[in-house]
Amino acid sequence: IILISLIIGPASKSHAQDKEPVDVIKVSTELVVFDVQVIDKRSKRIIGDLTKDDFEIYEKGARQPVSYFSRDELPLSIMLLLDVSGSVRPILHQIRDGALSALQRLKADDQVAVMAFATKSELIEDFTNDRSLVSKTIETATAADLLGSGTFLGPALDEAATHMQVAPTAGSRRVIIIVTDNIATSLGMEKRIEEKLLDGGTVVYGLIVRGAIGKVFNIVSLGQIKGVDGYVKQTGGEIFGASKNEVD
């Protein structure tokens, strides 16, 4: 290698002297993309109708120009995390019907995965655009009690958060919708789960549906057992309450 360099070196120099020198100017540019969701601090509601003038970006104290602004409707990657524990089993058919109805409102590019949980959890359908396949999966998940009767949200959400980091379509909005009576425990796993959710850019929504058993537990516990609330708050999602006939 050294010998070749010595031979080529002088020849290259001689060749360069035969030509006029050329000044070369190199300019480096970089487009940095920010994906932003703005939430009202008090109401926790998402704020829309914003324009480029509503935002300021600073780097090391220096204001940077916003070159491009858009409100893009990115496709959704939704994990339906369905509580199939003993306390919701009496109203599972309403939850099933509501979930099936909600699928019809999704767009063609949106993907859905389904995980059921009780004492144990199971990913019963990975991300897919096949609505009929998801419908069959939901019907199967709500038809049996093979996962036990407890409501161990923590291990299920931990597994779901891990899956959300690797499975969805690149660039999609990542959402976990937990359908539960919220009488659930995370077994001290909160911090680890929250870190996984934030690392994966996943927003958690809670749909709280209570049957008779869930209502009794809520009264006995003085409303202190709120399994999904912390995760929703940390990721900027929302909690919705629904009667058994309003799930969709």
Side-chain angles (χ1 to χ4, degrees):
I1 295 173
I2 295 174
L3 179 60
I4 292 173
S5 296
L6 290 173
I7 294 173
I8 293 176
S12 300
K13 184 177 180 181
S14 175
H15 179 71
Q17 288 174 343
D18 295 337
K19 292 187 175 182
E20 291 293 327
V22 178
D23 292 329
V24 178
I25 300 175
K26 294 183 178 181
V27 178
S28 177
T29 62
E30 185 176 359
L31 178 65
V32 180
V33 180
F34 291 93
D35 186 17
V36 179
Q37 182 182 61
V38 181
I39 300 171
D40 186 281
K41 217 180 234 186
R42 286 187 237 177
S43 68
K44 305 300 181 185
R45 297 283 177 178
I46 295 172
I47 300 174
D49 299 326
L50 298 172
T51 68
K52 183 169 72 172
D53 296 332
D54 294 311
F55 295 88
E56 293 180 358
I57 297 178
Y58 291 84
E59 182 180 7
K60 297 181 179 178
R63 185 172 177 176
Q64 304 297 317
V66 180
S67 304
Y68 175 77
F69 179 88
S70 70
R71 289 192 291 270
D72 295 327
E73 288 297 324
L74 300 174
L76 287 165
S77 292
I78 300 174
M79 171 78 76
L80 281 177
L81 193 55
L82 300 178
D83 182 350
V84 295
S85 64
S87 58
V88 300
R89 186 146 295 281
I91 58 169
L92 262 181
H93 62 287
Q94 285 100 337
I95 291 177
R96 178 201 65 204
D97 293 345
L100 294 176
S101 178
L103 289 177
Q104 308 310 313
R105 293 173 167 81
L106 297 176
K107 297 179 181 178
D109 292 338
D110 295 337
Q111 289 191 322
V112 182
V114 182
M115 180 179 290
F117 76 98
T119 304
K120 299 180 290 183
S121 59
E122 181 182 358
L123 179 67
I124 51 180
E125 187 59 58
D126 209 341
F127 286 98
T128 178
N129 299 98
D130 190 333
R131 302 289 183 262
S132 62
L133 180 60
V134 174
S135 296
K136 292 176 182 177
T137 300
I138 292 174
E139 290 177 349
T140 301
T142 55
D145 58 355
L146 301 178
L147 298 178
S149 59
T151 313
F152 291 88
L153 173 64
L157 188 53
D158 185 56
E159 183 181 346
T162 300
H163 199 66
M164 292 297 284
Q165 292 178 320
V166 296
T169 304
S172 64
R173 293 175 291 161
R174 302 180 179 193
V175 178
I176 295 177
I177 301 176
I178 307 174
V179 185
T180 179
D181 61 5
N182 216 16
I183 310 298
T185 178
S186 294
L187 302 173
M189 303 172 66
E190 291 86 356
K191 185 176 180 181
R192 184 176 78 180
I193 295 170
E194 287 171 5
E195 288 176 352
K196 285 185 179 181
L197 292 169
L198 295 174
D199 286 345
T202 302
V203 180
V204 176
Y205 285 80
L207 178 58
I208 313 305
V209 189
R210 287 198 174 108
I213 298 175
K215 291 176 182 177
V216 170
F217 270 110
N218 190 51
I219 293 171
V220 171
S221 67
L222 301 178
Q224 295 303 305
I225 302 178
K226 299 178 180 179
V228 306
D229 291 41
Y231 304 111
V232 171
K233 182 178 180 181
Q234 286 295 320
T235 60
E238 292 187 74
I239 293 177
F240 300 94
S243 72
K244 60 185 181 180
N245 298 318
E246 296 173 335
V247 179
D248 63 328

